[in-house]
Amino acid sequence: QVQLAESGGGLVQAGGSLRLSCAASGRTFRTYLMGWFRQAPGKEREFVASMYWSSGNTYYGDSVKGRFTISRDNAKNTVYLQMNSLKPEDTAVYYCAEAPIISRRYDYWGQGTQVTVSS
């Protein structure tokens, strides 16, 4: 089990930046993969970024490459999503998710944090 709590969302003007945090607590397993996803109203959930825990390798969705960066602080059990050069189309609820090594699937999700980018 693990509890994931996102924070850092808010309202920002186009071109601005935000940093989202995903704090994990109560983890009882080894982590395989951490990811960020987003879902805008009326749209399907979209992959944003991920990090393989052992290697630190990162991957990004095409729409955010070069603008967003996923990182982690092991001491704080926290994963971050630094979002720069934000666009109105980045408006969505952002979720973090965790894949345990035993399943290698995103079995655990946070409650989400709203990001709104005004034009």
Side-chain angles (χ1 to χ4, degrees):
Q1 291 285 344
V2 66
Q3 290 74 48
L4 303 175
E6 303 96 334
S7 61
L11 174 63
V12 63
Q13 287 189 332
S17 299
L18 281 175
R19 188 178 78 159
L20 305 184
S21 300
C22 174
S25 61
R27 184 182 285 125
T28 60
F29 50 79
R30 289 176 59 193
T31 302
Y32 175 66
L33 182 64
M34 292 291 296
W36 285 97
F37 294 80
R38 67 187 183 186
Q39 188 164 21
K43 295 188 177 181
E44 294 188 352
R45 188 171 60 200
E46 177 187 12
F47 167 74
V48 175
S50 64
M51 176 183 285
Y52 284 86
W53 212 245
S54 61
S55 66
N57 289 343
T58 58
Y59 297 88
Y60 297 91
D62 288 342
S63 62
V64 306
K65 280 181 183 175
R67 300 188 298 124
F68 290 12
T69 303
I70 186 172
S71 64
R72 69 187 184 194
D73 184 331
N74 289 344
K76 295 182 178 180
N77 287 319
T78 299
V79 174
Y80 302 99
L81 185 69
Q82 178 67 43
M83 307 187 295
N84 298 329
S85 302
L86 283 162
K87 306 175 182 179
E89 50 264 43
D90 294 319
T91 295
V93 177
Y94 284 70
Y95 300 89
C96 69
E98 181 163 355
I101 200 166
I102 194 170
S103 69
R104 302 192 176 191
R105 295 191 309 264
Y106 287 114
D107 290 334
Y108 300 95
W109 294 79
Q111 81 287 352
T113 186
Q114 176 71 46
V115 171
T116 302
V117 184
S118 63
S119 57

